[in-house]
Every structure is written in C-alpha cells, then in structure tokens.
Amino acid sequence: MKSSETNILVVDDEREITELIALYLEREGFRVHTSDHGEEALRIAETLIPDLIVLDVSLGKMDGVEVCRSLRQGACADVPILFLSCKSEDRDIIRGLSEGGDDYITKPLSPSQLAARIQAHIRRRRTRERIAEEQVNTLSYPGLEIDFVSLEVRLDGELVGLSAKEFELLTVLARQPNRVFPLEELYRRVWQSDSMGDTRTLMVHISNLRKKLEIDPASPRWVQTVRGFGYRFCPAISCDESSPIPI
C-alpha cells in the first residue's frame, strides 16, 4: 500500500507539536488527520478507522490513556497506537502499554524516528492482515456471505450475480469492515492503476453493486457513503451516521 493511502490520526493538545508531526508525515506521503482533544479524536477514529494513531498521553479533560482504552473497545481495537509523552519513568510507560498502546515515545521527539516507527508498525500490521486474508475462505455477516473459493456472494441465502469488478469492490470493502476507503484508493486496488482524477467508473460500479445488494439502494445498508471522503462496508444491522471528514 502506498503511503498516500495510509491514514494517520495525530492527537495532541500542543498545536506546535501536532503541526510539526503532520508536516513531516505529509512530506513522507502519509494522509494525516489531527485532533487536539480526546472526545473529537474518538469521533474521528471511529469514523475513519485510521491505519495508525499517534496519541499524546497528557490531553485535557480526557487523557490519552482513557482515549486508548475507549478505542480498544470499538472499531479501532487492532489499530496500532503510539503514545507520545513527556513522562519517561517506567511506571508511566508500563501504564500506557498495559492499557493497549503498541509503542511509547518520549518528548522531545525526533520526527524521523517517529516516521520510522510508524512505518514499522504499519508493515507488521499489513503482513498480519495479508496472512489472515490468505487463510480465510469465506466472510460471513448477518444476511451476507462472500465465498472466495467459488467467488460467489449470497444474500439471505440467495445467490447474487456480481460482475468481477463488483465482486472485487465488495471484497476490498468487506475485508476491512467499518474502514472508510478514499475513492482513489478503492480505484487503485480494484483497477490496479490510478484513476487520474476520474472516479466515475468506480461510482457507477458502486451504484450497480448497491442495486444488487440493497433493499433500498438510495439508503444503503451494506455499502455506505461517508460524505467528503469515500465508502465503507457496514457489517452491523445499522451503523451510526458519520459526520463528514474534511480532506
């Protein structure tokens, strides 16, 4: 996966640090989202499902450890979380890691070291995901089953006739439920090339996929639009309405 397709959420109440990290990571090609308090960070994380979260321990009303604890109970249960902190004592590090953090970096930080650690965590996560995907023959959700051996999709037990591209689109989305995929990334994954800014082909295929899967394509239950960002697959009976994420 290209760095530009990798979403990083940076949470820190010191604007100078947030801007420094965002600037450096954007230069490295990452797509960066920022927040300066815990409640907003949780909302963004649950909507976006980022590839990695950089989280300051010493936030305001809700500190970083509390945020981490909440994230681990939701859709970001397996997203790598890197703590940032001015505290370097063992008990602080142990607390952060025991509450679900994957790494702990003390301030003042080196942006290049942070980027290197981010790359390492993302590589390991992608490797785990690839191995898991290779071992899965079917994906089953309430009312929907995707068979990767027979290349068949069944909706409430009935076979759904999908084209090859429709099947690939559904597969990409369903393998990472709740994650929001930008249009460009979806296009690149399915068509194996850049869209050159024209994503109409993708949107037509999404529309056709919805006509075959949804009871009401205008109010989709499975393949949902996150306004201003892209599409996500919703495995639950219903998903919370998501606020638009600026890009």
Side-chain angles (χ1 to χ4, degrees), residues 151-208:
L151 303 182
E152 292 180 341
V153 173
R154 294 186 180 274
L155 185 64
D156 295 326
E158 297 293 325
L159 188 64
V160 179
L162 299 183
S163 70
K165 292 301 183 190
E166 290 164 359
F167 184 87
E168 289 180 53
L169 268 175
L170 180 61
T171 295
V172 170
L173 291 164
R175 283 193 187 277
Q176 297 186 61
N178 294 316
R179 183 192 166 194
V180 183
F181 285 86
L183 302 183
E184 287 289 346
E185 180 180 350
L186 262 182
Y187 189 98
R188 190 177 296 112
R189 285 194 177 206
V190 175
W191 278 269
Q192 302 299 311
S193 66
D194 292 331
S195 70
M196 306 301 288
D198 186 355
T199 54
R200 287 173 296 180
T201 297
L202 168 62
M203 290 188 283
V204 168
H205 279 78
I206 289 287
S207 177
N208 291 338

Side-chain angles (χ1 to χ4, degrees), residues 90-148:
D90 286 350
R91 66 174 180 272
D92 298 310
I93 297 173
I94 291 170
R95 178 175 178 245
L97 297 180
S98 65
E99 290 292 348
D102 296 280
D103 207 343
Y104 195 103
I105 302 173
T106 56
K107 299 177 183 178
L109 60 88
S110 161
S112 59
Q113 182 188 103
L114 176 62
R117 292 204 191 186
I118 287 173
Q119 292 280 18
H121 281 284
I122 288 174
R123 279 196 304 271
R124 284 195 288 271
R125 188 186 185 200
R126 296 301 182 210
T127 299
R128 290 196 303 269
E129 289 175 348
R130 187 179 67 254
I131 293 171
E133 287 178 5
E134 290 171 352
Q135 295 173 340
V136 172
N137 291 328
T138 62
L139 280 178
S140 295
Y141 298 105
L144 183 69
E145 183 176 283
I146 305 169
D147 190 317
F148 300 110

Side-chain angles (χ1 to χ4, degrees), residues 2 54 143 162 164 192 210 222:
K2 295 183 179 180
V54 178
L162 299 183
Q192 302 299 311
R210 283 172 170 166
W222 295 106

Side-chain angles (χ1 to χ4, degrees), residues 13 36-38 58-63 66:
D13 59 0
D36 61 3
H37 63 273
S58 302
L59 297 174
K61 181 179 177 182
M62 185 179 194
D63 73 16
E66 292 179 272

